[in-house]
Amino acid sequence: MSRTTLSPARILERCEALAALTEEEGRLTRTFLSPQHRAASELVGQWMAAAGMSARVDAIGNICGRLEGERPGLPCLMLGSHLDTVRDAGKYDGMLGVVAAIECVADLRGRGTRLPFAVEVIGFADEEGVRFGSTLLGSRAVAGTFQPEVLEITDRDGVSMAHALRRAGLDPAAIPTAARRRGGVLAYAELHIEQGPVLEDEGLPVGVVTAINGATRLAVEIAGMAGHAGTVPMNLRRDALAAASECVLEVERICRATPELVGTVGQIEARPGATNVIPGAARFSVDVRSPRDAERREAVRSIESAIQDIAARRKVKATITPMHEGKTAACAPWLMEQLGAAIEAEALPVRKLPSGAGHDGMAMAELTDIGMLFVRCERGISHHPAEAVTQADVETGTRVFLRFIENFRPHGGKS
Ligand code: HGY
Ligand code: MN
Ligand code: MN
């Protein structure tokens, strides 16, 4: 790989610039179609244009950049990650992958490299699913698997996804136009922080992902009976929050029983939410993951049955709504091999590892083969403001990714 102009400092500066676009004072939160999300897409679009790409916003709000190959209209190697964040997020989950991919394209263009394929970079609009609960919205639209029924889901202010799209100047009916045809995409590859402790524990800057664990998300509503906190005897209560709390502990008990199975209740809310009122209603989220789909589905069945048993015993009503189901997505061996070769060319060992975290590749796997390159993150911390990477690791990860792009050959393609 001839002398490059990659600038890890610029990548980190751009992650800082994106981190300033937050909906919540004093912490980073950027959700699907918020003004801050749209500002982030605009900023990324400018960086794409400066890298020599054409940039456009697609029908679901993804920002899409394209650098043509040696002649216009060639199928593309698609790169990308997401621009939305969790609440009180770190600066690198998603953003690092988008910014590093743009840096690679800028370098290729700067050296006048024309590849036998186009290169596209996508900043996906919603991977975390924070605003509407349903996740991978941007990548599902690109993969052609977007489910229109999610347009009716409302956010915590009662705004439907369809209405949010229209308010953002997008047409929900046009979402199918974001879908790519299979022949136009040679592969999807994503650079992402590991969000776990393995690379750091083994003193490695990068790793090759073998598979992305499958995940199920549920929304649970508990309907009990509100009442005066001072007058209703304990044995006559139908306390929705107490019932929800017992369910939370049951999720933990069920998932603790199986190695590699994980279950989380990340959101819980009691209504009406006054100190002196017995909660008449409660709602909470459930997130279950495993490397094995059958095991995850079995755990979800056990959790649903436990919730109904608790509700019956406490004389409350439980309504369970599936919000997301993503099966385990295997990374393609041929892409793992090409990523591994790029790591070896940097005289580094090739460490292969699964991803416990979900990624847009789960959706993109419905359209094309996927590959992922992990970059070490400090102490494995993620989904937290302490999420951190070193400039040296960003340099190594981006150099490996650039070499992968430059040496990329379609599956079974001529080397
Ligand atoms: O939830 C996840 O694992 C991903 O960060 N969306
Ligand atoms: Mn995340
Ligand atoms: Mn992510």
Side-chain angles (χ1 to χ4, degrees):
M1 183 165 73
S2 54
R3 244 192 68 63
T4 74
T5 59
L6 291 178
S7 166
R10 180 169 43 224
I11 291 173
L12 292 175
E13 282 155 23
R14 288 180 168 180
C15 288
E16 287 295 336
L18 287 171
L21 298 170
T22 176
E23 296 150 29
E24 296 177 348
E25 190 59 33
R27 65 183 207 170
L28 172 53
T29 300
R30 188 168 61 242
T31 59
F32 182 40
L33 298 175
S34 68
Q36 292 77 9
H37 164 235
R38 290 167 58 203
S41 292
E42 260 157 52
L43 188 55
V44 165
Q46 289 162 17
W47 295 336
M48 288 173 168
M53 288 190 262
S54 60
R56 66 183 178 89
V57 176
D58 71 9
I60 192 146
N62 298 320
I63 179 75
C64 309
R66 181 178 168 95
L67 180 77
E68 291 297 345
E70 53 203 15
R71 58 183 190 284
L74 291 172
C76 74
L77 169 59
M78 189 172 278
L79 314 171
S81 195
H82 56 96
L83 291 175
D84 66 314
T85 74
V86 293
R87 294 197 186 287
D88 200 8
K91 300 172 190 160
Y92 306 104
D93 172 10
M95 282 70 81
L96 181 67
V98 177
V99 174
I102 294 170
E103 188 71 17
C104 290
V105 171
D107 182 86
L108 288 166
R109 178 134 180 301
R111 286 185 283 131
T113 310
R114 301 296 276 184
L115 296 168
F117 48 86
V119 179
E120 292 203 17
V121 179
I122 299 197
F124 289 112
D126 178 279
E127 186 270 349
E128 300 288 4
V130 168
R131 181 170 179 183
F132 294 104
S134 187
T135 178
L136 305 177
L137 298 174
S139 39
R140 283 185 189 278
V142 170
T145 59
F146 181 85
Q147 291 143 352
E149 54 272 23
V150 299
L151 289 166
E152 298 323 309
I153 299 174
T154 54
D155 65 12
R156 58 186 187 177
D157 300 325
V159 177
S160 74
M161 193 186 301
H163 190 63
L165 283 159
R166 280 190 282 272
R167 272 207 308 219
L170 298 166
D171 173 7
I175 287 175
T177 66
R180 302 306 182 85
R181 60 181 185 78
R182 193 170 288 277
V185 182
L186 298 168
Y188 173 73
E190 180 169 350
L191 179 148
H192 201 289
I193 52 170
E194 180 200 339
Q195 299 181 292
V198 172
L199 293 177
E200 180 169 73
D201 183 52
E202 297 180 15
L204 297 171
V206 292
V208 177
V209 177
T210 55
I212 307 168
N213 287 357
T216 298
R217 289 188 185 185
L218 305 173
V220 184
E221 288 279 347
I222 304 282
M225 180 72 178
H228 195 301
T231 58
V232 181
M234 293 306 283
N235 65 324
L236 298 182
R237 293 184 178 201
R238 292 194 293 127
D239 183 330
L241 182 57
S245 308
E246 191 175 344
C247 295
V248 172
L249 293 177
E250 196 54 16
V251 169
E252 184 186 52
R253 187 194 66 74
I254 290 168
C255 295
R256 264 218 172 117
T258 308
E260 295 189 316
L261 177 67
V262 288
T264 313
V265 174
Q267 293 167 318
I268 189 162
E269 187 193 352
R271 296 191 299 277
T275 308
N276 57 354
V277 178
I278 302 164
R283 67 177 178 178
F284 59 92
S285 62
V286 180
D287 177 315
V288 181
R289 310 199 195 186
S290 165
R292 288 165 293 281
D293 290 337
E295 181 179 280
R296 169 174 51 84
R297 293 192 181 113
E298 179 50 36
V300 169
R301 272 193 293 277
S302 305
I303 288 167
E304 288 173 335
S305 146
I307 289 172
Q308 294 303 350
D309 291 349
I310 291 165
R313 180 163 36 80
R314 287 173 167 267
K315 298 190 183 59
V316 297
K317 184 175 180 310
T319 308
I320 302 171
T321 310
M323 297 302 283
H324 168 71
E325 158 85 21
K327 58 185 190 299
T328 294
C331 293
W334 66 279
L335 286 169
M336 289 166 61
E337 209 176 292
Q338 292 190 26
L339 284 164
I343 292 174
E344 280 167 341
E346 295 289 329
L348 288 165
V350 179
R351 173 61 155 96
K352 293 178 182 170
L353 68 165
S355 174
H359 300 284
D360 284 302
M362 297 169 89
M364 294 302 288
E366 302 289 326
L367 174 71
T368 187
D369 281 350
I370 66 168
M372 283 195 77
L373 179 71
F374 268 170
V375 174
R376 172 170 44 190
C377 61
E378 288 178 15
R379 290 178 291 145
I381 294 176
S382 182
H383 282 188
H384 186 283
E387 194 177 272
V389 289
T390 65
Q391 182 161 317
D393 284 353
V394 169
E395 173 154 21
T396 304
T398 308
R399 279 181 60 81
V400 167
F401 208 49
L402 175 61
R403 191 184 292 273
F404 161 75
I405 297 164
E406 218 166 350
N407 298 340
F408 173 75
R409 289 300 168 261
H411 190 30
K414 307 276 170 294
S415 56

Short mmCIF file of all heavy atoms in Angstrom, two decimals, residues 271-298:
data_model
loop_
_atom_site.label_atom_id
_atom_site.label_comp_id
_atom_site.label_asym_id
_atom_site.label_seq_id
_atom_site.Cartn_x
_atom_site.Cartn_y
_atom_site.Cartn_z
N ARG A 271 -46.38 4.43 36.17
CA ARG A 271 -47.32 5.54 36.03
C ARG A 271 -48.44 5.37 37.07
O ARG A 271 -48.76 4.23 37.43
CB ARG A 271 -47.94 5.53 34.61
CG ARG A 271 -46.90 5.78 33.51
CD ARG A 271 -47.53 6.04 32.15
NE ARG A 271 -48.33 4.92 31.68
CZ ARG A 271 -47.82 3.84 31.05
NH1 ARG A 271 -46.52 3.73 30.89
NH2 ARG A 271 -48.58 2.87 30.63
N PRO A 272 -49.00 6.43 37.65
CA PRO A 272 -48.79 7.83 37.25
C PRO A 272 -47.45 8.43 37.72
O PRO A 272 -47.13 9.55 37.35
CB PRO A 272 -49.96 8.57 37.91
CG PRO A 272 -50.27 7.76 39.11
CD PRO A 272 -49.98 6.34 38.76
N GLY A 273 -46.70 7.75 38.61
CA GLY A 273 -45.39 8.28 38.95
C GLY A 273 -45.41 9.32 40.05
O GLY A 273 -44.73 10.34 39.97
N ALA A 274 -46.22 9.04 41.09
CA ALA A 274 -46.23 9.95 42.26
C ALA A 274 -45.88 9.13 43.49
O ALA A 274 -46.26 7.96 43.60
CB ALA A 274 -47.61 10.59 42.41
N THR A 275 -45.20 9.77 44.45
CA THR A 275 -44.74 9.04 45.64
C THR A 275 -45.90 8.37 46.37
O THR A 275 -45.78 7.27 46.90
CB THR A 275 -44.06 10.04 46.61
OG1 THR A 275 -43.09 10.75 45.87
CG2 THR A 275 -43.42 9.34 47.79
N ASN A 276 -47.02 9.06 46.41
CA ASN A 276 -48.12 8.57 47.29
C ASN A 276 -49.25 7.91 46.49
O ASN A 276 -50.39 7.89 46.92
CB ASN A 276 -48.67 9.74 48.12
CG ASN A 276 -49.14 10.89 47.22
OD1 ASN A 276 -48.95 10.83 46.00
ND2 ASN A 276 -49.73 11.89 47.80
N VAL A 277 -48.87 7.40 45.26
CA VAL A 277 -49.89 6.68 44.47
C VAL A 277 -49.34 5.30 44.12
O VAL A 277 -48.22 5.17 43.59
CB VAL A 277 -50.22 7.43 43.16
CG1 VAL A 277 -51.24 6.64 42.34
CG2 VAL A 277 -50.75 8.83 43.48
N ILE A 278 -50.11 4.26 44.39
CA ILE A 278 -49.71 2.90 44.01
C ILE A 278 -49.68 2.85 42.48
O ILE A 278 -50.67 3.24 41.84
CB ILE A 278 -50.73 1.86 44.52
CG1 ILE A 278 -50.88 1.95 46.04
CG2 ILE A 278 -50.34 0.45 44.09
CD1 ILE A 278 -52.13 1.25 46.54
N PRO A 279 -48.55 2.45 41.84
CA PRO A 279 -48.49 2.44 40.37
C PRO A 279 -49.58 1.55 39.77
O PRO A 279 -49.62 0.35 40.03
CB PRO A 279 -47.10 1.91 40.07
CG PRO A 279 -46.31 2.15 41.31
CD PRO A 279 -47.30 2.00 42.44
N GLY A 280 -50.42 2.18 38.95
CA GLY A 280 -51.48 1.41 38.29
C GLY A 280 -51.00 0.81 36.99
O GLY A 280 -51.57 -0.12 36.44
N ALA A 281 -49.89 1.39 36.46
CA ALA A 281 -49.37 0.88 35.18
C ALA A 281 -47.85 0.93 35.22
O ALA A 281 -47.25 1.78 35.90
CB ALA A 281 -49.90 1.73 34.03
N ALA A 282 -47.26 0.00 34.49
CA ALA A 282 -45.79 -0.01 34.39
C ALA A 282 -45.45 -0.56 33.02
O ALA A 282 -46.24 -1.31 32.43
CB ALA A 282 -45.16 -0.87 35.48
N ARG A 283 -44.31 -0.12 32.50
CA ARG A 283 -43.86 -0.75 31.26
C ARG A 283 -42.33 -0.88 31.31
O ARG A 283 -41.66 -0.05 31.94
CB ARG A 283 -44.32 0.00 30.02
CG ARG A 283 -43.75 1.36 29.78
CD ARG A 283 -44.29 1.87 28.46
NE ARG A 283 -43.82 3.21 28.15
CZ ARG A 283 -44.14 3.83 27.02
NH1 ARG A 283 -44.90 3.23 26.12
NH2 ARG A 283 -43.71 5.03 26.78
N PHE A 284 -41.85 -1.97 30.70
CA PHE A 284 -40.41 -2.18 30.69
C PHE A 284 -39.98 -2.90 29.41
O PHE A 284 -40.80 -3.48 28.69
CB PHE A 284 -39.96 -2.95 31.93
CG PHE A 284 -40.57 -4.31 32.12
CD1 PHE A 284 -39.95 -5.45 31.61
CD2 PHE A 284 -41.78 -4.47 32.79
CE1 PHE A 284 -40.50 -6.71 31.79
CE2 PHE A 284 -42.35 -5.73 32.97
CZ PHE A 284 -41.71 -6.84 32.47
N SER A 285 -38.70 -2.77 29.11
CA SER A 285 -38.13 -3.41 27.90
C SER A 285 -37.43 -4.70 28.32
O SER A 285 -37.03 -4.86 29.46
CB SER A 285 -37.10 -2.46 27.27
OG SER A 285 -36.04 -2.24 28.22
N VAL A 286 -37.33 -5.62 27.38
CA VAL A 286 -36.54 -6.84 27.59
C VAL A 286 -35.65 -7.03 26.37
O VAL A 286 -36.11 -6.88 25.23
CB VAL A 286 -37.43 -8.09 27.77
CG1 VAL A 286 -36.57 -9.34 27.98
CG2 VAL A 286 -38.40 -7.90 28.96
N ASP A 287 -34.37 -7.31 26.60
CA ASP A 287 -33.40 -7.51 25.51
C ASP A 287 -32.68 -8.83 25.81
O ASP A 287 -32.04 -8.97 26.84
CB ASP A 287 -32.41 -6.33 25.53
CG ASP A 287 -31.29 -6.43 24.49
OD1 ASP A 287 -30.70 -7.53 24.36
OD2 ASP A 287 -30.99 -5.43 23.83
N VAL A 288 -32.85 -9.83 24.94
CA VAL A 288 -32.27 -11.16 25.15
C VAL A 288 -31.37 -11.49 23.98
O VAL A 288 -31.74 -11.27 22.81
CB VAL A 288 -33.37 -12.24 25.27
CG1 VAL A 288 -32.77 -13.63 25.54
CG2 VAL A 288 -34.36 -11.88 26.38
N ARG A 289 -30.14 -12.00 24.28
CA ARG A 289 -29.21 -12.32 23.20
C ARG A 289 -28.47 -13.63 23.47
O ARG A 289 -28.26 -14.00 24.63
CB ARG A 289 -28.15 -11.22 23.08
CG ARG A 289 -28.79 -9.86 23.03
CD ARG A 289 -27.88 -8.85 22.49
NE ARG A 289 -28.42 -7.53 22.79
CZ ARG A 289 -27.90 -6.42 22.33
NH1 ARG A 289 -26.82 -6.47 21.58
NH2 ARG A 289 -28.43 -5.27 22.61
N SER A 290 -28.05 -14.26 22.39
CA SER A 290 -27.25 -15.48 22.50
C SER A 290 -26.58 -15.72 21.16
O SER A 290 -27.12 -15.33 20.12
CB SER A 290 -28.15 -16.68 22.84
OG SER A 290 -27.45 -17.88 22.60
N PRO A 291 -25.45 -16.43 21.15
CA PRO A 291 -24.85 -16.82 19.85
C PRO A 291 -25.70 -17.89 19.15
O PRO A 291 -25.57 -18.11 17.95
CB PRO A 291 -23.47 -17.39 20.23
CG PRO A 291 -23.30 -17.20 21.68
CD PRO A 291 -24.61 -16.82 22.28
N ARG A 292 -26.59 -18.54 19.94
CA ARG A 292 -27.40 -19.64 19.36
C ARG A 292 -28.87 -19.22 19.33
O ARG A 292 -29.48 -18.96 20.40
CB ARG A 292 -27.20 -20.92 20.18
CG ARG A 292 -25.81 -21.55 19.96
CD ARG A 292 -25.46 -22.58 21.02
NE ARG A 292 -25.30 -21.94 22.34
CZ ARG A 292 -24.19 -21.29 22.71
NH1 ARG A 292 -23.19 -21.13 21.86
NH2 ARG A 292 -24.10 -20.74 23.91
N ASP A 293 -29.46 -19.17 18.16
CA ASP A 293 -30.84 -18.65 18.01
C ASP A 293 -31.85 -19.50 18.76
O ASP A 293 -32.76 -18.97 19.41
CB ASP A 293 -31.20 -18.56 16.52
CG ASP A 293 -30.42 -17.45 15.81
OD1 ASP A 293 -29.97 -16.51 16.51
OD2 ASP A 293 -30.24 -17.53 14.59
N ALA A 294 -31.69 -20.84 18.71
CA ALA A 294 -32.68 -21.72 19.38
C ALA A 294 -32.67 -21.45 20.88
O ALA A 294 -33.72 -21.35 21.53
CB ALA A 294 -32.35 -23.17 19.08
N GLU A 295 -31.47 -21.27 21.43
CA GLU A 295 -31.33 -21.00 22.88
C GLU A 295 -31.99 -19.67 23.23
O GLU A 295 -32.70 -19.55 24.23
CB GLU A 295 -29.84 -20.95 23.18
CG GLU A 295 -29.45 -20.70 24.61
CD GLU A 295 -27.92 -20.72 24.72
OE1 GLU A 295 -27.36 -21.83 24.76
OE2 GLU A 295 -27.31 -19.64 24.74
N ARG A 296 -31.80 -18.67 22.37
CA ARG A 296 -32.38 -17.36 22.66
C ARG A 296 -33.90 -17.46 22.61
O ARG A 296 -34.60 -16.96 23.50
CB ARG A 296 -31.89 -16.35 21.63
CG ARG A 296 -32.61 -15.01 21.63
CD ARG A 296 -31.98 -14.03 20.68
NE ARG A 296 -31.77 -14.55 19.32
CZ ARG A 296 -32.69 -14.57 18.37
NH1 ARG A 296 -33.92 -14.14 18.64
NH2 ARG A 296 -32.44 -15.04 17.16
N ARG A 297 -34.43 -18.12 21.58
CA ARG A 297 -35.89 -18.23 21.45
C ARG A 297 -36.49 -19.01 22.63
O ARG A 297 -37.54 -18.64 23.15
CB ARG A 297 -36.24 -18.88 20.11
CG ARG A 297 -35.88 -17.97 18.91
CD ARG A 297 -36.45 -18.43 17.60
NE ARG A 297 -36.02 -17.51 16.52
CZ ARG A 297 -35.19 -17.87 15.53
NH1 ARG A 297 -34.73 -19.11 15.46
NH2 ARG A 297 -34.80 -16.99 14.61
N GLU A 298 -35.78 -20.01 23.10
CA GLU A 298 -36.25 -20.79 24.26
C GLU A 298 -36.28 -19.89 25.50
O GLU A 298 -37.24 -19.88 26.27
CB GLU A 298 -35.34 -22.01 24.47
CG GLU A 298 -35.70 -22.90 25.65
CD GLU A 298 -37.19 -23.27 25.67
OE1 GLU A 298 -37.75 -23.48 24.57
OE2 GLU A 298 -37.79 -23.32 26.77
#
